[in-house]
Amino acid sequence: MSDEAAPWLIVGLGNPGPEYAGNRHNIGFMVADLLAERIGGKFKAHKARAQVVEGRIGPPGPANRRVVLAKPMTYMNLSGGPVTALRDFYKVPLERIVAVHDELDIDYPTLRLKLGGGDNGHNGLKSMTKSMGPDYHRVRCGIGRPPGRMQVADFVLKDFSSTERKELDWFVDRAADSVECLISEGLERAQSAYNS
């Protein structure tokens, strides 16, 4: 399969299970769920220990792209295994992999898109980079820093606050838009439209 024919692999990072569903750490899952809804697909179990939906994103014509949406089911810090298995199964070049994740160093609700880079202590990214190297796209969804002396781990595994929830649907919607823009129009266009 030529790289042109290869699908994009969009990975929403999060933890499986209802007790984590509303956590800040699960914004990647929320964005993946919304994208699946937009393409009219339902997540199904894949042997790579992930749930996947296949479909197309973008306007009709040459900007219409084949995509595989994925939610690893291994817990955040082991995300690299399922993502690597999906990359191999679908023959996806590294630069067509997009990780959608929460980011502590960016204020809520701010988006930043980039290609490559470090993991900033994010266990999901750390695991992906260890498995595949760092040169994949990231859609970084800012969640801000924990207040006061709260530990980072406690903060990311808490649900969004009631104040944050007022903007959450808008934020998830905007993040999903940015993924679609990245795939159909490229990184620079998506950065200029969505990086704030």
Side-chain angles (χ1 to χ4, degrees), residues 13 25 75-81 83-84 99 101-104 117-136 138 152:
L13 291 177
H25 221 19
Y75 293 102
M76 184 67 90
N77 53 358
L78 299 171
S79 302
V83 177
T84 305
H101 63 91
D102 57 305
E103 176 67 68
L104 289 159
D119 56 51
N120 261 9
H122 190 290
N123 289 332
L125 295 180
K126 203 176 280 180
S127 176
M128 281 180 63
T129 296
K130 195 173 155 199
S131 295
M132 308 184 299
D135 298 326
Y136 50 89
R138 295 101 193 275
V152 164

Side-chain angles (χ1 to χ4, degrees), residues 7-8 20 27-29 32 34 54 67 71 76 86 106 110 115 120 131 154 171-172 180 182 186:
W8 282 74
Y20 298 107
I27 193 159
F29 273 19
L34 179 59
E54 295 179 49
V67 295
K71 297 192 294 187
M76 184 67 90
L86 289 169
I106 301 173
T110 304
L115 175 61
N120 261 9
S131 295
D154 296 333
F171 190 30
V172 168
E180 293 185 354
L182 166 64

Side-chain angles (χ1 to χ4, degrees), residues 38-148:
R38 287 183 181 182
I39 64 176
K42 290 253 183 287
F43 278 99
K44 295 185 176 62
H46 190 281
K47 63 180 181 196
R49 293 176 306 162
Q51 290 190 341
V52 301
V53 173
E54 295 179 49
R56 300 191 82 85
I57 279 178
N64 189 268
R65 306 278 188 245
R66 220 174 111 222
V67 295
V68 178
L69 302 173
K71 297 192 294 187
M73 289 288 121
T74 48
Y75 293 102
M76 184 67 90
N77 53 358
L78 299 171
S79 302
V83 177
T84 305
L86 289 169
R87 177 200 68 184
D88 296 347
F89 182 83
Y90 289 103
K91 308 202 173 15
V92 180
L94 194 55
E95 66 278 6
R96 285 203 179 188
I97 296 176
V98 182
V100 183
H101 63 91
D102 57 305
E103 176 67 68
L104 289 159
D105 286 339
I106 301 173
D107 291 338
Y108 181 85
T110 304
L111 283 176
R112 297 266 166 77
L113 286 79
K114 70 175 191 174
L115 175 61
D119 56 51
N120 261 9
H122 190 290
N123 289 332
L125 295 180
K126 203 176 280 180
S127 176
M128 281 180 63
T129 296
K130 195 173 155 199
S131 295
M132 308 184 299
D135 298 326
Y136 50 89
H137 286 91
R138 295 101 193 275
V139 173
R140 305 155 74 206
C141 303
I143 58 168
R145 286 255 156 216

Side-chain angles (χ1 to χ4, degrees), residues 158-178:
K158 278 204 168 27
D159 285 1
F160 285 97
S161 70
S162 54
T163 311
E164 288 169 335
R165 275 201 295 272
K166 291 183 180 126
E167 290 185 291
L168 186 58
D169 286 348
W170 171 85
F171 190 30
V172 168
D173 199 56
R174 191 170 159 77
D177 289 348
S178 79

